[in-house]
């Protein structure tokens, strides 16, 4: 999936003459290291019987992952997976790429 997204962004960059910051590449590089290799599922987590104060262990994740939120219809807490948004580690990595892109070569 990363290769397809990268190709689409490269085409947009070429068409519009804009620079694309390599945040996706940084995520892919991080995920290739042992420290950031996401391990799923947590064998000690019982999703069906989980309570709102319980979350699975999500080591190596750069995304929010499992979280509790209120169901819009019932108002009851439900366990949902947010694999699209960055957690604190992912936000830090993205910010580091932006910083490097802005300030590399400046002395």
């Amino acid at each position: 999936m990363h290769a397809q997204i990268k190709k689409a962004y490269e085409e947009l960059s070429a068409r519009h003459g804009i620079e694309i910051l390599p945040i996706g590449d940084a995520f892919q590089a991080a995920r290739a290291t042992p420290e950031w290799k996401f391990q799923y599922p947590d064998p000690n987590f019982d999703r069906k019987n989980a309570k709102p104060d319980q979350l699975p262990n999500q080591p190596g994740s750069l995304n929010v992952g499992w979280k509790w939120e209120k169901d819009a219809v019932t108002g009851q807490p439900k366990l949902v997976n947010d694999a699209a948004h960055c957690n604190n580690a992912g936000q830090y990595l993205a910010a580091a790429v932006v910083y490097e892109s802005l300030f590399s070569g400046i002395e």
Side-chain angles (χ1 to χ4, degrees):
M1 179 183 232
H2 171 69
Q4 294 167 335
I5 293 170
K6 182 176 178 169
K7 182 180 176 193
Y9 277 117
E10 286 171 346
E11 290 171 2
L12 283 171
S13 173
R15 185 180 317 134
H16 298 288
I18 55 175
E19 181 181 356
I20 303 297
L21 302 182
I23 295 170
D25 291 341
F27 270 64
Q28 286 299 104
R31 288 180 177 135
T33 67
E35 181 181 0
W36 296 105
K37 185 157 184 71
F38 182 60
Q39 300 167 20
Y40 176 83
D42 177 355
N44 300 316
F45 185 71
D46 181 4
R47 189 171 163 233
K48 291 182 181 178
N49 296 308
K51 295 180 178 31
D53 61 341
Q54 300 173 322
L55 288 172
N57 191 13
Q58 303 176 93
S61 179
L62 294 169
N63 297 91
V64 171
W66 293 102
K67 65 178 185 173
W68 288 93
E69 65 181 37
K70 189 184 291 189
D71 185 283
V73 175
T74 67
Q76 297 299 310
K78 69 177 181 177
L79 188 61
V80 297
N81 189 10
D82 181 352
H85 295 97
C86 300
N87 63 16
N88 288 343
Q91 290 174 8
Y92 185 89
L93 177 57
V97 171
V98 171
Y99 181 89
E100 178 66 20
S101 296
L102 291 173
F103 297 107
S104 65
I106 296 176
E107 295 182 25

